[in-house]
């Protein structure tokens, strides 16, 4: 239904002052990225599943594994590596305290367990880390810390500062405050975003199996896949997850794809080894190696393209789809429909009329503003919104096309 221009203008006029805060553009990000890379050391991100950190039955810390892990971290540090650990385990370690079990714990149980388990997890790392002469720190993140670009950069600055002081960051999702709607959901992709964030050279995912198999490793004849270039070829074979964990092989492949795009080599390996990290890097034991893309995208494009959740989406016309590589913006006349409730600065997924994902880009408008402009295309945008605008929903510098290197997202059900 057409809305009165006067009514719409009054609704949005009060927001005019918010438009003074412009979205950070890609050129500024490039400058920041260049300064960062000038002082970059070798960096490695290690992701650990809950089953490696917590005893499955007793739900207590596995100090023997943590000892072997941090001894190997000390070796890497001596070899000139900066090491970041993305560790699960806080929820598992806190379940006994709140009287819950992994199989039956609900969201509130897990939130309370995380609050109890976090100090147990950090104390275990702290005690063992001191034995090898290094300090550890904790960084708790939520989905918004990755999806909001300013918070993403602030997080990166914190990690960089800790590494400058030779402190090992222990990163985890803040399960105490997150809900299903606002959580990352798995530490595999969270760790991959950290690897992108710090421009890591290697990304090691330690799990309970030797790597990626061509079928369920419990089945007879299952073969380990030792080297992967395109993880999309193996998505269907990746299924199942552990009792304690929230991710299976699928999330590990998604994480590997994100790291590959940023020029980071990923290893998926069994964590139960005397030297769980260095034995992977020196090739002395079997694992799956996901080869880094030789032409990595920029940090800005990686942030735009590799999303953890879909904030919203657009369906665009065939003419607009044909112009995506011509450095043109997406304006309201190009858009057929809008899905989702998003804010200015959220990244949108862009589809053609057949449901094929074409690009991802930073929105210059909220979903409410976008819908009003699209539903009233014959009314000047300035008259609708109450401020001067070119009605470009996504500017070309804030747009990245989806290439074969990216795992495409399925199109949501779009309104007419």
């Amino acid at each position: 239904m057409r809305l009165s221009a006067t009514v719409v203008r009054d609704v949005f006029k009060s927001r005019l002052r918010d438009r003074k805060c412009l979205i950070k553009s890609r050129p500024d990000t490039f400058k920041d990225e260049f300064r960062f890379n000038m002082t970059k050391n070798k960096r490695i991100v290690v992701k650990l599943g809950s089953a490696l950190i917590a005893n499955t039955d007793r739900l207590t810390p596995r100090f023997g594994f943590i000892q072997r892990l941090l001894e190997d971290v000390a070796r890497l540090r001596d070899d000139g590596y900066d090491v970041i650990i993305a560790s699960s385990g806080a929820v598992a370690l806190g379940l006994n305290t709140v009287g819950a079990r992994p199989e039956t714990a609900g969201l509130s149980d897990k939130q309370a367990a995380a609050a109890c388990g976090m100090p147990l997890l950090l104390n275990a790392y702290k005690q063992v880390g001191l034995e090898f002469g290094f300090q550890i720190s904790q960084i708790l993140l939520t989905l918004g810390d990755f999806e909001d670009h300013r918070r993403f950069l602030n997080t990166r600055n914190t990690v960089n500062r800790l590494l400058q002081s030779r402190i090992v960051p222990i990163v985890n999702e803040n399960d105490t405050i997150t809900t299903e709607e606002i959580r990352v959901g798995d530490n595999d992709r969270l760790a991959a975003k950290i690897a992108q964030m710090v421009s890591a050279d290697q990304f090691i995912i330690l799990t309970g199996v030797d790597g990626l198999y061509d079928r369920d490793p419990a089945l007879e004849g299952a073969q380990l896949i030792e080297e992967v270039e395109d993880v999309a070829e193996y998505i269907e074979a990746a299924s199942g997850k552990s009792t304690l964990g929230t991710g299976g092989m699928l999330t590990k492949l998604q994480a590997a794809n994100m790291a590959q795009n940023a020029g980071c080599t990923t290893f998926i390996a069994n964590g139960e080894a005397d030297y769980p990290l260095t034995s992977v890097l020196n090739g002395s034991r079997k694992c799956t190696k996901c080869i880094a893309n030789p032409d990595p995208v920029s940090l800005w494009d990686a942030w735009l393209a590799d999303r953890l959740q879909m904030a919203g989406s657009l369906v665009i016309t065939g003419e607009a789809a044909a112009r995506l590589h011509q450095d043109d913006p997406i304006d309201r006349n190009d858009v057929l429909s809008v899905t989702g409730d998003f804010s200015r600065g959220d990244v949108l997924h862009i589809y053609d009329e057949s449901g094929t994902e074409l690009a991802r880009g930073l929105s210059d408008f909220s979903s409410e503003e976008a819908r009003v402009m699209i539903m009233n295309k014959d009314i000047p945008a300035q008259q609708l919104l109450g401020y001067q605008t070119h009605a470009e929903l996504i500017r070309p510098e804030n747009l990245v096309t989806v290439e074969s290197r990216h795992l495409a997202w399925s199109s949501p059900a779009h309104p007419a």
Side-chain angles (χ1 to χ4, degrees), residues 251-296:
T251 61
K252 290 169 178 55
L253 291 184
Q254 292 171 333
N257 176 252
M258 294 163 65
Q260 285 178 303
N261 293 338
C264 177
T265 298
T266 300
F267 300 89
I268 304 173
N270 197 320
E272 300 294 355
D274 289 338
Y275 306 103
L277 304 177
T278 55
S279 61
V280 168
L281 294 175
N282 65 25
S284 63
R285 67 186 178 101
K286 59 184 180 181
C287 65
T288 296
K289 179 180 180 180
C290 301
I291 301 172
N293 193 300
D295 182 27

Side-chain angles (χ1 to χ4, degrees), residues 302-363:
W303 179 81
L304 280 175
D306 289 320
R307 314 309 300 154
L308 297 172
Q309 283 191 8
M310 185 185 296
S313 61
L314 307 175
V315 173
I316 61 175
T317 65
E319 294 80 2
R323 299 196 312 267
L324 280 179
H325 292 280
Q326 299 178 13
D327 208 29
D328 285 346
I330 295 177
D331 64 31
R332 64 169 174 168
N333 294 317
D334 297 324
V335 179
L336 298 174
S337 62
V338 179
T339 295
D341 295 319
F342 51 87
S343 301
R344 184 173 188 259
D346 282 343
V347 175
L348 308 182
H349 294 240
I350 297 108
Y351 298 87
D352 63 16
E353 296 180 72
S354 68
T356 300
E357 188 178 12
L358 305 174
R360 295 163 194 171
L362 203 66
S363 176

Side-chain angles (χ1 to χ4, degrees), residues 11-51:
V11 170
F12 292 117
K13 196 168 184 179
S14 63
R15 303 181 186 177
L16 178 58
R17 64 176 65 92
D18 297 333
R19 311 300 291 192
K20 296 178 181 179
C21 182
L22 300 178
I23 297 175
K24 179 179 272 294
S25 64
R26 186 161 58 176
D28 288 338
T29 306
F30 281 162
K31 295 175 185 175
D32 188 36
E33 185 178 350
F34 176 76
R35 288 194 298 269
F36 167 68
N37 287 334
M38 287 290 288
T39 58
K40 178 179 175 295
N41 297 320
K42 292 189 296 182
R43 289 186 172 178
I44 183 168
V45 174
V46 180
K47 187 270 173 181
L48 308 169
S50 294

Side-chain angles (χ1 to χ4, degrees), residues 46-59:
V46 180
K47 187 270 173 181
L48 308 169
S50 294
L52 292 172
I53 300 297
N55 181 283
T56 305
D57 296 323
R58 295 190 297 273
L59 301 177

Side-chain angles (χ1 to χ4, degrees), residues 170-224:
I170 308 293
V171 185
N172 195 3
E173 185 165 15
N174 193 348
D175 293 309
T176 297
I177 64 170
T178 54
T179 62
E180 293 298 332
E181 293 78 14
I182 62 170
R183 68 193 306 262
V184 174
D186 63 89
N187 274 348
D188 296 317
R189 293 182 303 144
L190 180 149
K193 291 299 290 185
I194 294 294
Q196 287 184 339
M197 179 185 291
V198 301
S199 299
D201 301 280
Q202 282 95 22
F203 174 37
I204 299 180
I205 301 175
L206 294 183
T207 183
V209 294
D210 291 328
L212 171 67
Y213 285 80
D214 59 355
R215 69 198 77 174
D216 187 333
L219 298 177
E220 184 178 354
Q223 297 292 317
L224 178 71

Side-chain angles (χ1 to χ4, degrees), residues 70-82:
L70 295 192
E71 182 179 5
D72 229 8
V73 168
R75 290 189 182 93
L76 289 171
R77 284 162 55 89
D78 290 343
D79 288 340
Y81 273 99
D82 290 330

